[in-house]
Amino acid sequence: MAWLERVAGGILALLYPEDDRCMLCGAQDCRADTGVCAACEARAKRHLPPRCGLCGRQTRGGGLCGNCRDAQVRYRGAVAYHYEGVVRDALHRLKFEGEARFTAFFAAGMARALRESGWPAPDVLVPVPSHSLRRLGRGYSLPGRLARALSSQTGIPVAHRALRRIALGAMPGRSREERIMLAGKAFAAGQASAVTGKRALLVDDITTTGSTLNACAGLLLSMGASAVYALAAAGGADPLT
Ligand SMILES: [Zn+2]
Ligand SMILES: [Zn+2]
C-alpha cells in the first residue's frame, strides 16, 4: 500500500505545501513551531557575551560599544540576532515580502533574549512606530507585529498608541550624525497613561546606531515611564570592533 501513502502524502503536500518544510532551507520534517529547522536556527548568530552594557549588542572586548561611548543612552537594550546571513534573509522576507510566518521565529529569539537579560519584568511593550506611509504600503507595522507576537509568548500587554511617528522623509543614505539628529524629531508622545509609572519595553525590528530607540526612550521617560528597556530582533555588530 506504499503507493496509497504516497498519494495521500501528495494530497497533504498540496493542501499544506510548506507546513513541515523549513522556511529558510526547505528541509523537510521541520517540526519547530517557528517554521525554521535546527540547522538554520544554529546558523542564526546571536548577540552573545561580551555585550555592550547599555545597548546590549555584542562587543569584542566588553565595556561599552562605539555607539554608546559618546552618547547619552537612556535605555538598557538587548538584541536577539546579528543582522547577517539567514537572519538578514528572514528579516527581508518578513519586512519586504510580507512572509508573516517569520514573525514567530523572531519573537522566539526576542523572548529568549528578554529571559536572558536579567531585567525586572516589563509592564508594557511599546512598538517603535512605523512611518505611516510605510505602514500603509505593507498593510502593517513590523515592530507592532513583533510586539504582538512577543505579547502572546510573555503575557505582557502592548501599548500600540504610546508613541507617534512624525513624517520626516526617508532616512536611508543619510549620515550617522544626520540620522541621530533626525531620530530626535521623528517621534512624539502619544497616550501617556499607557506608560506612566510603568517599566516600558521598546520593541523594534532592526537597530543600527541606537538613535531611534534612544529618541523613543527619552520620550517615554518624559511621559512618566519609570524605566525603559529595548529589545530588537536584529542589529549590527559594534561598529568599532
Ligand atoms: Zn532550515
Ligand atoms: Zn552599545
Side-chain angles (χ1 to χ4, degrees), residues 162-224:
L163 296 173
R164 293 183 295 121
R165 184 101 188 193
I166 296 167
L168 286 177
M171 297 281 269
R174 294 185 188 265
S175 71
R176 180 173 178 268
E177 286 71 25
E178 280 180 311
R179 287 163 70 104
I180 291 170
M181 192 268 290
L182 284 170
K185 299 178 179 175
F187 302 96
Q191 202 175 47
S193 61
V195 297
T196 304
K198 293 179 178 171
R199 283 188 296 266
L201 177 63
L202 282 162
V203 175
D204 207 355
D205 50 353
I206 304 178
T207 176
T208 49
T209 62
S211 51
T212 292
L213 294 173
N214 211 25
C216 291
L219 274 172
L220 291 173
L221 290 170
S222 75
M223 291 159 69

Side-chain angles (χ1 to χ4, degrees), residues 141-155:
S141 143
L142 186 49
R145 178 166 276 191
L146 289 170
R148 210 170 293 140
L150 197 59
S151 173
S152 68
Q153 293 195 14
T154 60

Side-chain angles (χ1 to χ4, degrees), residues 47-119:
H47 277 258
L48 298 172
R51 303 186 189 102
C52 171
L54 292 173
C55 72
R57 80 180 71 221
Q58 190 168 345
T59 58
R60 198 166 289 171
L64 298 185
C65 78
N67 282 327
C68 294
R69 232 167 274 165
D70 48 281
Q72 193 196 345
V73 181
R74 304 179 186 91
Y75 65 94
R76 293 289 175 277
V79 187
Y81 294 110
H82 284 269
Y83 184 55
E84 60 182 54
V86 291
V87 169
R88 193 186 170 97
D89 290 350
L91 204 51
H92 271 237
R93 284 168 61 185
L94 171 60
K95 191 165 180 155
F96 301 111
E97 294 167 33
E99 289 194 49
R101 292 195 304 150
F102 282 113
T103 309
F105 168 71
F106 285 110
M110 292 166 88
R112 180 174 53 202
L114 179 60
R115 280 195 304 275
E116 292 174 353
S117 68
W119 301 331

Side-chain angles (χ1 to χ4, degrees), residues 21-27 30 35-41 43:
R21 283 171 186 264
C22 171
M23 294 189 293
L24 286 167
C25 70
C30 168
V36 173
C37 74
C40 286
E41 171 75 45
R43 283 191 290 145

